[in-house]
Amino acid sequence: MTDNTQRPASGPNSAPELPTQYTPAEVEGPLYERWVERGYFDADAKSDKPPYTIVIPPPNVTGSLHLGHAFEHTLIDALTRRKRMQGYETLWQPGMDHAGIATQNVVERELGKEGKSRHDLGREAFVERVWQWKAESGGQIAGQMKRLGNGVAWSRDRFTMDEGLSRAVQTVFKKMFDDGLIYRAERIINWCPRCLTAISDIEVDYQDDDGELVSMKYGEGDDSVIVATTRAETMLGDTAVAVHPDDERYAHLIGKQITLPLTGRAIPVVADAHVDPEFGTGAVKVTPAHDPNDFAIGQRHNLESIEVLDERGIITAHGPFEGLDRFEARSAIVAAMRAEGRIVAEKRPYVHSVGHCSRCKTTLEPRLSLQWWVKVDTLAKAAGDAVRDGRVDIHPADLSQRYFDWVDNLNDWCISRQLWWGHRIPVWHGPNGETVCVGPDEQPPSGEGWEQDTDVLDTWFSSGLWPFSTLGWPEQTEDLAKFYPNSVLVTGYDLMFFWVARMMMFGLYAMDGEVPFRTIAFHGMVRDEHGKKMSKSFGNTVNPLDWMDKYGSDALRFTLARGANPGTDVPIGEDWVQASRNFANKIWNATRFAMMNGATIEGDLPPAEQLSATDRWILSRLNTVVAEADALYDDYQFAKLADALYHFAWDEVFDWYVELSKTTFMAGGDAAKVSARVLGEVLDVTLRLLHPIVPFVTETLWTTLTGRESVVIADWPTDSAFRDAAAETEIENLQQVITEVRRFRSDQGLQPGQKVPARLDLSGTSLAAHEAAIRQLLRLQPEGDSFNATATLPVAGATVALDLSGTIDVAAERKRLAKDLAAAEKEKAQAEGKLGNEAFLAKAPDNVVDKIRGRLAKAEADIVRLQNQINNLPPA
């Protein structure tokens, strides 16, 4: 399994000795620069290697690296590093998103500090100012990605508004416009009065707000009706009251006109099946210009749409409320209705779900507006079919239903935004109502009265083209032929609707039915150590750079990978990163020890008959772990992968094989040379297995161990199929003996280094060859003439007799153990008392009951353990 594809730089023995301590800050930066300079992360479309392509979910140009980025990038980097080692032409495509609303908000805030607005500059000058900001301040995340070790192809870095991607956007828009898939229509949209733009449904954050529910009387006498609303200010735009056609309470009103209070307008009572007669009074006010359901009712009944709120949420209706902010108007209108005796009931606070802008958190307004739309029915069907027929695999599979629930019920997509920063819609409007859509190689119409549409496209329109626009489409480039479709998309389940579904629709449409990626691997969100969502308002956010500075990038990467179960959220705390730092140090120290004892990869491994059982055991386990790692990588089981590698490296290689080999190294001779070669082999493969997750420490150690150029371009380990079940059983028995005797020593209060006389009976077992190792690891002396077996431990077919005479104060130890036993018995009695109390069980929460059951189980185990310790004490 040794990698022999690279010529040693100057021979393994000429490599510098490892420092006594691993210092990430001194290693990581220079190593990354070397990787980039040597072109390890570049991708060649002319290569005859099989392609492996992943695009980065493009971070916003306004952003900086947060734990979510670090988590996602760690997983992608691990996949691409492994595939590179497996001989694939690997492309991890980097780039950033222009982030229309977010970026415009940032620059507008900067202008605000100068006492200016974008309107003071004008559109052209403002856009130029945004480009200037991007050049000076945007993209800081790139440097942070390098800190993390991201192996992206930097020479291919793209931006969603660069020239090539802008050409792709215009090409797709033109094609969809000509195919009748893009149209312009007046509909209810989500409107942000702060950002002054439409917001798509998936960019709305819903939260429970404290509001008010007000019941108001419209009309007079028998012709009156009571309606309830949380948005009293919109009543100024009511154009009907709707009731269910089968509701007998209102049969006499259907078709009649009633007076709308405060305005004096007559509005009809209409019958519509949308109304739920069981909810409230069974009558609803209808405001077609300010509610999507009301708009639909208005369309069915040819109702007038009266806008009473402008783009900033200011009342425009004539009368005493004109000019008031929407929330001011709400209170004023309720007060006016109360003065007329028309308030029937008021409920405050009334907690209800309210939509907020995902960017600025402003309460949104449903608003009738003329916008550009994508007709999605055929596109969404194609996106669903591609998963159903197996062309695209969703991982984990149980998220497929969530995907289907979305694409199968997708509404037409509002793609226009009332911003200045973004891809401007390539449509020109003529003086006589003409509309002309212009492709990238076409001249727009000119002459008096012709103007380009003022809106820009939703940011997700351009990022939806990411898998193929970054490869040069619409040109038929070598990159496109080589690297499309992408091999896998790694992204959070929260982007399933924002981004994944868009890419599926666009890819299948623009690329003649070819899917954009073969697999979608969804991961969860990073949360704090208590499982709580990270938020500035909660005060639990973490800057990953802080942890990288303190513990090293490998420690952060390993912690994130070890928590990455497919599709589920990832809790993370600083103590876990610290534990991963300890793991990196363990790798360092064990490799340093191995090299000091001659560990080498030179020459072939000796044949199995020349290997000790310990050597054959670790090589057998090594091949098993190689096979396990491959299976887990292919199943995107990063947490299980990291855990398997952790326990193999720490427990089996460093704690067991290295420790068991110490006696061999001390003895010297041919056996020591064999163990040095085996240890070199095991470390070589283990470091290569670990490299995709912890690249920096493994690069330093592997190149020092092997004298070769870089583990980045080393061969990925392969399973040689060597297995030795007998050796594995033999070493498992040996481990059992050592573990049980160590536990007994600890239970008796013996110090780790305290030597104890012992007699070993290994007859009838395969452990006779390991007596020296057993005695060394357990600090067991030969029995001597005065040996008195005060404790006998039968383990794994062997017997270990110990003479504890004079090593412990038996009377004091018996007293201590008796005290602990009494405490355990008391704990057991208390837990049994509570669990036997039916009244307690009926009232206590499940988690409390479970906790008490756990206390009972622990107490029972402690009692058994302490009684055994007392029974094993020598006579006083």
Side-chain angles (χ1 to χ4, degrees), residues 10 87 190 220 247 297 349 370 408 434 445 476 503 610 663 850:
S10 55
N190 304 296
E220 303 295 341
D247 193 335
I297 293 175
L370 184 63
D408 292 348
E434 305 96 330
Q476 298 305 305
M503 286 189 289
Q610 295 181 18
T663 53
D850 289 342

Side-chain angles (χ1 to χ4, degrees), residues 413-484:
W413 173 20
C414 177
I415 57 171
S416 48
R417 299 291 181 266
Q418 290 64 55
L419 305 171
W420 287 356
W421 172 245
H423 294 99
R424 195 164 174 181
I425 288 178
V427 169
W428 270 254
H429 303 288
N432 299 311
E434 305 96 330
T435 299
V436 176
C437 182
V438 177
D441 298 317
E442 300 172 352
Q443 290 295 321
S446 58
E448 186 177 350
W450 282 95
E451 293 183 353
Q452 185 176 359
D453 197 285
T454 57
D455 289 350
V456 300
L457 286 167
D458 178 9
T459 298
W460 297 104
F461 192 100
S462 53
S463 59
L465 315 181
W466 194 244
F468 53 91
S469 63
T470 51
L471 297 173
W473 189 92
E475 308 304 324
Q476 298 305 305
T477 64
E478 288 183 327
D479 286 342
L480 195 65
K482 177 74 173 180
F483 296 112
Y484 189 89

Side-chain angles (χ1 to χ4, degrees), residues 689-708:
L689 289 173
L690 284 166
H691 172 72
I693 302 177
V694 284
F696 294 108
V697 68
T698 52
E699 170 80 341
T700 306
L701 295 174
W702 190 86
T703 53
T704 306
L705 172 70
T706 67
R708 294 184 168 141

Side-chain angles (χ1 to χ4, degrees), residues 832-871:
E832 287 178 335
K834 288 185 177 181
L835 294 174
N837 186 333
E838 294 296 333
F840 170 79
L841 293 177
K843 295 179 180 179
D846 290 344
N847 64 318
V848 172
V849 175
D850 289 342
K851 186 175 181 179
I852 293 173
R853 286 179 178 144
R855 285 168 50 191
L856 175 61
K858 182 179 183 302
E860 290 174 337
D862 287 344
I863 290 170
V864 172
R865 175 179 58 82
L866 292 165
Q867 286 176 335
N868 286 335
Q869 289 178 238
I870 292 172
N871 293 337

Side-chain angles (χ1 to χ4, degrees), residues 517-533:
F517 21 73
R518 303 295 187 194
T519 299
I520 307 169
F522 285 116
H523 59 72
M525 304 295 102
V526 178
R527 296 180 177 271
D528 71 12
E529 58 190 310
H530 306 294
K532 191 174 183 179
K533 179 181 178 180

Side-chain angles (χ1 to χ4, degrees), residues 595-617:
M595 294 184 66
M596 290 171 61
N597 285 276
T600 179
I601 65 165
E602 292 304 300
D604 294 333
L605 279 172
E609 57 270 18
Q610 295 181 18
L611 301 175
S612 69
T614 307
D615 294 333
R616 286 181 279 113
W617 160 72

